[in-house]
Amino acid sequence: MKTRITELFGIKHPIIQGGMHYVGFAEMAAAVSNAGGLGLITGLTQRTPEGLAAEIARCKTMTDKPFGVNLTFLPSVTPPDYPGFITSIIDGGIKIVETAGNNPQKYLPALKEAGVKVIHKCTAVRHALKAESIGCDAVSVDGFECGGHPGEDDVPNMILLPRAAETLKIPFVASGGMADARSLVAALAMGAEGMNMGTRFIATVEAPVHPHVKQAIVDASELDTRLIMRPLRNTERVLNNAAVEKLLATEKELGAKLTFADIAEEVAGVYPRIMKDGEMDAGGWSCGMVAGLIHDIPTVKDLIDRIMAEAEALIRQRLEGMLAA
């Protein structure tokens, strides 16, 4: 399947692995890239630029296919060493970067000069247009269904993707609610050039997370996610658990008086305990509504091969078959 995204990134299939905290290690990125998609190392999971440089080098021993780095720009009192991370990306020979969070404009000249293609994750059409205007090569349009941060507009992909198609000149991929061939074909029909999957890739054999995490996704339905931190305008979609219930009760009780400190126990620094140790009630962790469509834990290659084969069948048989001769 050829799309503007496969051509832009030099990949076989129009499937990108989302940048996921404590999931996007070299093993995950390499597995997706080896299967013909675009794997991404999550930059901020590596605490230092030196750590990221080592992870990029490790990934290169596992795949000779294109892979990229996700770098999320967060508002912070003590921000990460973003210039250092950019240097590690460029020195590591990475040619594809997914940016997310705040505007990446100040780092684009250095990336562009090094020949790096930039895809920016957006939850609104106005943000996608801004990304286009500052020189991003592509965008990932993230609907309200997504795991992680869906923004504050609450627009689902059935509306968001056609709106993006109406207004953008650069190519975009669909993110949020993507899990299978139907997701891919629907995304293409709405104007996207491919799809970005996060939660679906956690429930794979190669995902470097605790088996409890994979099983929790398989066991969950589309009704099992919750939105936290809405009062702080930092909304995150997470899988429901005891810690999330406690957090939501705190939010309800404190109302407008809520501060981050009131819920820090349930959200700060919990990822290693969940993803590595399998403590499923340690706190809130990003998970999409798409968990309701995930019923197995295949290898990454089997998953991508299945998606592409079923997508072709959907297009050639089901959709073409509906057209009157």
Side-chain angles (χ1 to χ4, degrees):
M1 189 181 282
K2 264 191 186 179
T3 75
R4 289 163 75 196
I5 284 291
T6 63
E7 301 284 287
L8 180 68
F9 295 140
I11 54 179
K12 186 178 179 186
H13 304 308
I15 297 174
I16 298 175
Q17 166 235 323
M20 297 169 285
H21 203 36
Y22 276 87
V23 182
F25 293 100
E27 295 88 343
M28 184 84 260
V32 174
S33 291
N34 284 333
L38 178 65
L40 294 176
I41 291 171
T42 308
L44 293 189
T45 296
Q46 304 300 322
R47 294 179 176 276
T48 63
E50 295 73 25
L52 178 57
E55 196 69 5
I56 290 168
R58 200 163 73 87
C59 196
K60 285 186 168 176
T61 69
M62 301 179 191
T63 184
D64 57 1
K65 303 284 197 299
F67 67 92
V69 170
N70 160 280
L71 195 55
T72 301
F73 297 101
L74 300 167
S76 175
V77 181
T78 51
D81 178 9
Y82 286 119
F85 280 112
I86 296 288
T87 299
S88 293
I89 286 166
I90 293 168
D91 290 352
I94 293 293
K95 294 301 178 189
I96 303 162
V97 167
E98 179 192 62
T99 55
N102 289 351
N103 189 327
Q105 187 165 10
K106 68 189 277 192
Y107 301 104
L108 286 183
L111 291 169
K112 292 284 181 188
E113 196 176 320
V116 178
K117 298 279 194 295
V118 176
I119 178 168
H120 186 63
K121 188 175 275 276
C122 308
T123 60
V125 173
R126 64 186 181 280
H127 299 155
L129 286 168
K130 180 67 176 175
E132 181 177 81
S133 75
I134 65 174
C136 291
D137 300 281
V139 289
S140 178
V141 176
D142 218 10
F144 184 54
E145 310 91 323
C146 72
H149 298 278
E152 308 301 324
D153 293 348
D154 301 359
V155 181
N157 267 330
M158 283 292 283
I159 310 300
L160 197 57
L161 298 176
R163 277 287 295 116
E166 282 179 352
T167 53
L168 290 172
K169 295 182 182 69
I170 56 174
F172 67 95
V173 297
S175 182
M178 302 289 130
D180 56 23
R182 289 167 298 194
S183 313
L184 177 58
V185 174
L188 297 173
M190 287 189 278
E193 305 281 342
M195 68 177 178
N196 178 308
M197 298 196 303
T199 304
R200 173 65 271 199
F201 276 128
I202 303 179
T204 56
V205 170
E206 294 92 338
V209 301
H210 196 282
H212 288 175
V213 178
K214 302 180 189 187
Q215 196 57 47
I217 291 171
V218 172
D219 292 344
S221 85
E222 64 277 16
L223 304 175
D224 290 327
T225 67
R226 298 290 182 270
L227 296 170
I228 62 172
M229 298 192 285
R230 295 231 94 174
L232 302 176
R233 291 191 64 76
N234 186 30
T235 302
E236 183 178 5
R237 187 179 298 282
V238 298
L239 193 68
N240 196 24
N241 60 31
V244 169
E245 295 281 2
K246 183 184 170 207
L247 187 160
L248 289 170
T250 303
E251 288 187 351
K252 191 172 181 183
E253 183 187 337
L254 294 178
K257 290 183 279 190
L258 182 81
T259 67
F260 183 77
D262 298 316
I263 55 169
E265 187 186 339
E266 287 82 41
V267 289
V270 298
Y271 270 80
R273 290 169 58 197
I274 296 160
M275 296 296 175
K276 288 163 75 172
D277 305 332
E279 291 180 43
M280 298 316 296
D281 286 321
W285 58 283
S286 296
C287 179
M289 284 181 168
V290 77
L293 296 175
I294 298 170
H295 311 301
D296 61 354
I297 304 171
T299 66
V300 168
K301 184 177 190 315
D302 285 348
L303 174 63
I304 290 180
D305 286 352
R306 180 170 80 198
I307 288 171
M308 296 312 300
E310 290 178 1
E312 184 171 344
L314 262 176
I315 295 165
R316 290 192 192 280
Q317 293 162 33
R318 179 171 163 76
L319 298 182
E320 276 194 12
M322 287 175 173
L323 296 174

